[in-house]
Amino acid sequence: MHLARFPRVRLFPAPTPLERLHNLTHRLGGPQIWVKRDDCTVVATGGNKVRKLEWLIGEALAQGASHIVTQGAIQSNHVRQTAAIARKFGMTCTALLEHRFDTDDRDYLSSGNVLLDRLFGCRIEYRPAGLDMNAEAEKRGSELRADGETVYVIPGGGSNSVGALGYVSCAQELMQQADEIGLRIDRIVTATGSAGTQAGLVVGLEGTNANVPVLGIGVRLPREPQEEKVYLLTVATASRLGIKASIAREAVVANCDYVGAGYGVPTKGMGEAVRMMAEEEGILLDPVYSGKAMAGLIDLIRKGTFARDETIVFLHTGGAAGLFGYNTFFDRAE
């Protein structure tokens, strides 16, 4: 896979750390847990979207764009990172924020990522729940083009076959790190939502014959539609790269038992996972993605799903800024 064929901007020092979680492993009694620290991608407090945006902004600049339009939930990590990177390259950013669930919690509506969006000069517009938000972003982009703007529209989560290249690259980076230290990886676990992270990992690992499965822990959809969403993006990403051999449908696996009442709605398991990771390893998870993914991993370990001698790499997608939008939840959970 020759990724240098595609436009890219470099946004953070790579590779991100690969660390063993000694204390968490001991507390849970195995398997051996490592973490790939994609919360350390530097820009705007970091997170997995920075990898995707290297390729998306690269393409936007190649097309002469000066205005980025994107979308996400109120406490969107993706919008925060997109807004910051747009400013870094002198671009305007318009973000459509969706009220995905009803709340009048002031912290959720105005703190955390929303505060940072405003500091980055993002033009925020709000939308009610239930709309096709990518279609709304495309519509807003068309309106701005009609006004003479040169617009590049980025889908939610940066998840298309361009953005997924970031996690094709990450898969290559991770396997090189593992090879250098003699670490045999049995499984990668990460959050799966808009699909780009998991799809990119699957393509990158399959394309290099790594023989390492990826388990996505869902944060929004039920299992069947989530797996289908990821698989379709996997196929599109492989096609963009010119990978001729088909990727098996069975390579895409999602466990969506830890979503709870819905996207962004906190769960008891997420609260426990955030506190456990903070107390045991001094690492902050986020309440929407990495927190629920870790909650799933912890529960599956307790259920004996994995062998004690397995080595699991948890890909940390970042998002700690979102914790400030959930202050009320963590106060109540004390």
Side-chain angles (χ1 to χ4, degrees), residues 252-264:
V252 173
V253 179
N255 182 321
C256 298
D257 295 342
Y258 303 96
V259 175
Y263 175 92

Side-chain angles (χ1 to χ4, degrees), residues 23 27 272-284:
N23 298 333
R27 179 163 172 174
E272 180 195 22
V274 169
R275 290 188 184 282
M276 190 182 296
M277 194 70 158
E279 292 170 357
E280 296 293 341
E281 300 289 350
I283 295 174
L284 295 174

Side-chain angles (χ1 to χ4, degrees), residues 294-316:
M294 181 56 77
L297 177 57
I298 290 168
D299 187 60
L300 291 171
I301 289 172
R302 287 170 171 166
K303 289 177 176 177
T305 303
F306 310 115
R308 292 187 59 160
D309 61 352
E310 274 194 58
T311 296
I312 295 174
V313 173
F314 179 80
L315 192 144
H316 188 343

Side-chain angles (χ1 to χ4, degrees), residues 42-271:
V42 181
V43 182
T45 76
N48 64 323
K49 306 307 190 292
V50 175
R51 282 196 191 269
K52 300 178 185 181
L53 287 160
E54 287 196 331
W55 306 86
L56 291 159
I57 296 297
E59 183 172 86
L61 291 170
Q63 294 179 7
S66 58
H67 195 142
I68 301 296
V69 174
T70 194
Q71 60 89 4
I74 297 293
Q75 283 291 332
S76 170
N77 295 316
H78 163 69
V79 167
R80 178 243 310 158
Q81 291 162 83
T82 303
I85 293 166
R87 297 310 304 149
K88 181 178 179 67
F89 289 95
M91 296 170 153
T92 302
C93 181
T94 293
L96 312 184
L97 299 185
E98 179 187 11
H99 289 278
R100 284 191 190 162
F101 64 92
D102 289 332
T103 181
D104 59 0
D105 189 299
R106 185 176 181 275
D107 288 334
Y108 182 83
L109 296 173
S110 62
S111 185
N113 284 310
V114 181
L115 171 62
L116 298 183
D117 294 342
R118 292 188 175 123
L119 289 175
F120 293 133
C122 185
R123 299 181 182 180
I124 298 174
E125 301 179 13
Y126 292 93
R127 297 290 187 273
L131 299 176
D132 180 335
M133 288 297 290
N134 281 334
E136 288 292 306
E138 290 289 352
K139 178 183 175 183
R140 190 70 184 101
S142 295
E143 293 169 349
L144 290 166
R145 290 187 192 103
D147 291 336
E149 300 264 16
T150 306
V151 177
Y152 184 87
V153 178
I154 296 177
S159 291
N160 58 16
S161 62
V162 177
L165 295 177
Y167 275 89
V168 175
S169 175
C170 180
Q172 296 176 330
E173 176 183 301
L174 173 57
M175 296 314 299
Q176 181 177 349
Q177 286 177 290
D179 288 343
E180 287 175 353
I181 63 174
L183 178 69
R184 174 173 173 168
I185 301 172
D186 294 300
R187 190 182 313 273
I188 297 168
V189 176
T190 193
T192 185
S194 61
T197 299
Q198 187 178 4
L201 287 172
V202 170
V203 173
L205 294 166
E206 292 283 323
T208 54
N209 296 311
N211 197 29
V212 176
V214 179
L215 172 61
I217 304 293
V219 300
R220 188 174 187 186
L221 298 175
R223 180 182 63 81
E224 289 187 8
Q226 181 64 31
E227 288 186 348
E228 182 67 12
K229 184 177 183 180
V230 175
Y231 182 66
L232 290 174
L233 184 50
T234 297
V235 171
T237 305
S239 176
R240 178 174 288 274
L241 286 164
I243 297 175
K244 295 179 180 179
S246 61
I247 294 176
R249 171 63 180 78
E250 293 74 25
V252 173
V253 179
N255 182 321
C256 298
D257 295 342
Y258 303 96
V259 175
Y263 175 92
V265 180
T267 65
K268 181 179 179 181
M270 177 277 290

Side-chain angles (χ1 to χ4, degrees), residues 6-73:
F6 304 97
R8 181 183 189 180
V9 294
R10 300 284 180 166
L11 296 171
F12 64 96
T16 57
L18 176 61
E19 302 173 354
R20 186 177 178 184
L21 300 180
H22 294 273
N23 298 333
L24 186 65
T25 296
H26 182 263
R27 179 163 172 174
L28 295 172
Q32 300 302 309
I33 308 170
W34 290 64
V35 61
K36 175 66 169 163
R37 297 288 305 273
D38 271 17
D39 58 321
C40 297
T41 53
V42 181
V43 182
T45 76
N48 64 323
K49 306 307 190 292
V50 175
R51 282 196 191 269
K52 300 178 185 181
L53 287 160
E54 287 196 331
W55 306 86
L56 291 159
I57 296 297
E59 183 172 86
L61 291 170
Q63 294 179 7
S66 58
H67 195 142
I68 301 296
V69 174
T70 194
Q71 60 89 4

